[in-house]
Amino acid sequence: MPEWMSLPPGPLTDWIYTIVGLVLLLLAGDSLVKGAVNLSLRLGVPALIVSLTIVAFGTSAPELLISIQAIWDDVPDLALGNVVGSNTANVLLVLGVPALLAVMHTSQCDTRASYLQMIGATVLFIALAYRGVYDWIAGLILLAALAAMLIHAALAARTHRKSDAGDDDEDLEGADPDLPWSKIILFLILGLIGLPLGASLLVDGASNIARDYGVSDAVIGLTLVAIGTSLPELATTVMAALRRQADVALGNVIGSNMFNLLGIIGVASLVGNIPVSPNFFAFDFWVMLAASLLLIPFVYLRQDLTRVWGVALSVAYIAYLWVVL
């Protein structure tokens, strides 16, 4: 982090860095998404592609920068724990909490193709972990799978646009066709500056807290950092639930989870090797997979995400944190 931001070392300083880092990530992630969405609309990119790619990547950008920074700081367990924990949080917390506020009519959504891709990405991710390390080979495989997913999304979007003359740009969160170019550029700059700065502060603070309390880097990544970097998804999903946009809520979680597994670890593996701790095979990978399978009723069985489901998912996440800690 910049030398001018350094504070005297100590437990209080670590918590200040962590909290400030979380706030910066939330604000910068929101700024980047707004800038990217409006830039894409100005350039004439279809709204569906923006939702599946730029918005999903924007809300996953904190995880990407956290993972890269963790590898540079020689705490790879934090990088892997961040992604695995974020995917678990995305299903149990990011869908559970908004469902407590408003029923999401997921029975009206058709996310089967994207959901199958997410399950495939999860299985591929775990299969590559049996090699013992995510190296450049694993990284290229994951990025190739991400490229295939993006190509499929682009083709599906083009087909949709040809069959539907309606314009759904206004359904995108943060979209403003009249937003000046100066504000679009400002949003992008603030996001691109704030995300790495927030990532640096959060990794430094969280790593020191882990050492101070004798907690492993993997556990900190699975809990504190994972929740912090899931805040952009949580904010987006809460707004989608309140506006009765179940497709946005469910699509946000599915898209973000695919980016986390394929894009973040894919890129991070090219930066440096990520050894896989046996603890991930003992518990965390399978919780992540089980959480992903919990979406089957909403994707295939036409179930609405009611408040009862919201309570169940939220309680499941609290139980998960209890076991991890």
Side-chain angles (χ1 to χ4, degrees):
M1 89 187 51
E3 192 170 332
W4 58 271
M5 294 191 64
S6 298
L7 297 174
L12 178 60
T13 298
D14 295 333
W15 281 105
I16 291 175
Y17 281 159
T18 302
I19 295 171
V20 172
L22 289 176
V23 173
L24 273 177
L25 284 172
L26 180 58
L27 296 177
D30 180 61
S31 179
L32 181 61
V33 169
K34 283 183 179 179
V37 166
N38 288 287
L39 175 65
S40 299
L41 296 181
R42 283 299 189 94
L43 297 178
V45 177
L48 184 57
I49 291 183
V50 177
S51 299
L52 291 174
T53 57
I54 296 178
V55 174
F57 174 78
T59 56
S60 294
E63 285 95 335
L64 173 62
L65 292 163
I66 287 291
S67 296
I68 291 176
Q69 186 69 42
I71 291 175
W72 284 340
D73 291 346
D74 198 27
V75 281
D77 270 359
L78 186 64
L80 187 56
N82 173 39
V83 166
V84 174
S86 289
N87 274 28
T88 302
N90 279 351
V91 175
L92 301 181
L93 181 68
V94 173
L95 285 179
V97 171
L100 297 175
L101 304 176
V103 176
M104 287 186 279
H105 297 285
T106 47
S107 59
Q108 302 172 5
C109 305
D110 185 8
T111 55
R112 287 173 292 182
S114 297
Y115 178 71
L116 279 178
Q117 291 174 4
M118 187 192 80
I119 294 298
T122 304
V123 172
L124 174 63
F125 181 81
I126 295 175
L128 288 173
Y130 277 97
R131 298 174 65 247
V133 61
Y134 292 102
D135 54 9
W136 67 271
I137 297 176
L140 290 178
I141 293 173
L142 292 172
L143 290 175
L146 177 62
M149 184 269 288
L150 294 176
I151 291 172
H152 178 272
L155 294 175
R158 187 169 65 177
T159 301
H160 171 76
R161 298 288 285 192
K162 285 182 178 179
S163 62
D164 185 4
D167 187 2
D168 56 356
D169 289 350
E170 65 274 8
D171 292 337
L172 283 173
E173 183 69 23
D176 181 4
D178 300 320
L179 191 68
W181 274 106
S182 58
K183 287 191 175 181
I184 294 176
I185 295 173
L186 179 61
F187 280 138
L188 291 172
I189 291 175
L190 290 176
L192 293 172
I193 293 176
L195 284 171
L197 181 57
S200 176
L201 290 170
L202 182 56
V203 170
D204 286 348
S207 298
N208 289 332
I209 290 171
R211 286 188 285 268
D212 290 343
Y213 288 90
V215 179
S216 70
D217 293 323
V219 170
I220 293 294
L222 287 163
T223 55
L224 175 65
V225 180
I227 293 173
T229 55
S230 291
L231 288 177
E233 288 90 345
L234 180 59
T236 301
T237 307
V238 166
M239 292 306 299
L242 294 176
R243 295 178 181 181
R244 303 294 192 268
Q245 294 175 314
D247 53 342
V248 175
L250 198 55
N252 177 41
V253 168
I254 291 174
S256 179
N257 277 13
M258 284 194 290
F259 267 100
N260 285 351
L261 296 173
L262 304 177
I264 292 173
I265 295 300
V267 172
S269 299
L270 301 181
V271 175
N273 289 345
I274 305 175
V276 182
S277 168
N279 293 332
F280 286 100
F281 288 107
F283 183 67
D284 302 300
F285 281 153
W286 312 119
V287 172
M288 178 181 68
L289 179 59
S292 299
L293 294 175
L294 285 177
L295 294 181
I296 288 178
F298 315 117
V299 175
Y300 286 102
L301 303 182
R302 300 297 184 184
Q303 293 287 316
D304 286 332
L305 191 51
T306 62
R307 288 183 173 87
V308 173
W309 276 107
V311 171
L313 293 175
S314 300
V315 169
Y317 188 67
I318 293 172
Y320 166 71
L321 291 181
W322 179 266
V323 173
V324 169
L325 293 173

